[in-house]
Amino acid sequence: MFLANLPVEKQEAFLNLAYTMVYADGRLDAAEKKLFDSYKLEIDVDFSKAHAVDFAEELAAFDDSSVTEKTGVFFELYAIALIDEAYPDEEKVLVDIMQKRFGITDAKMQEMRDGLKTLTDAYKKLAKIVES
């Protein structure tokens, strides 16, 4: 949702961060896979090259990014951690690293959680409308 305007190098860094977040707990959840695959519509990089990275080091690719870019990248990665409604310690560690690096407040994280819930609830409601 917030990645299309990033330069290719940052899109590649994001993809590797997303891959790392998806597999942080050692398993691929269906909701995480669906969200990860949705990035194919938004970013123009080779998904076959996605791989796990040192999360803190890869975040450095965004050090010169605007606050808006950092917040967008944070939201997308945070959404991966939350989308499957499980939030294991391995994901919490990565989110904490990212929160500190990007200077995201706890209040902003709550806003993001609330926004993601509203979005997913809307999709569920639409699915029910279509199915009935």
Side-chain angles (χ1 to χ4, degrees):
M1 191 178 337
F2 303 107
L3 308 170
N5 293 324
L6 293 175
V8 172
E9 302 79 27
K10 289 182 181 181
Q11 288 182 3
E12 289 170 350
F14 170 81
L15 184 63
N16 291 329
L17 289 164
Y19 185 94
T20 304
M21 184 67 77
V22 165
Y23 288 101
D25 60 359
R27 64 182 185 85
L28 177 61
D29 177 83
E32 290 174 334
K33 181 178 180 350
K34 186 175 180 180
L35 183 55
F36 184 82
D37 288 345
S38 75
Y39 297 131
K40 292 177 183 173
L41 302 172
E42 188 172 1
I43 59 178
D44 190 27
V45 297
D46 185 352
F47 274 67
S48 70
K49 293 183 179 177
H51 61 278
V53 292
D54 179 294
F55 206 77
E57 284 182 22
E58 197 76 3
L59 285 173
F62 299 95
D63 284 351
D64 66 346
S65 293
S66 68
V67 171
T68 300
E69 284 180 341
K70 288 177 183 177
T71 304
V73 167
F74 183 94
F75 175 79
E76 296 289 353
L77 294 169
Y78 192 36
I80 292 170
L82 299 176
I83 199 72
D84 61 354
E85 298 177 6
Y87 192 33
D89 289 340
E90 297 89 348
E91 292 175 350
K92 288 177 186 172
V93 167
L94 298 180
V95 168
D96 187 52
I97 290 167
M98 186 172 49
Q99 180 185 15
K100 288 180 176 128
R101 181 110 191 197
F102 288 174
I104 304 293
T105 65
D106 290 339
K108 180 59 86 172
M109 286 179 65
Q110 183 62 52
E111 223 180 320
M112 290 179 186
R113 278 192 301 273
D114 294 346
L116 181 63
K117 181 172 179 5
T118 300
L119 181 64
T120 56
D121 287 349
Y123 278 120
K124 288 175 186 174
K125 185 176 181 177
L126 290 171
K128 285 181 182 178
I129 292 169
V130 171
E131 293 168 0
S132 55

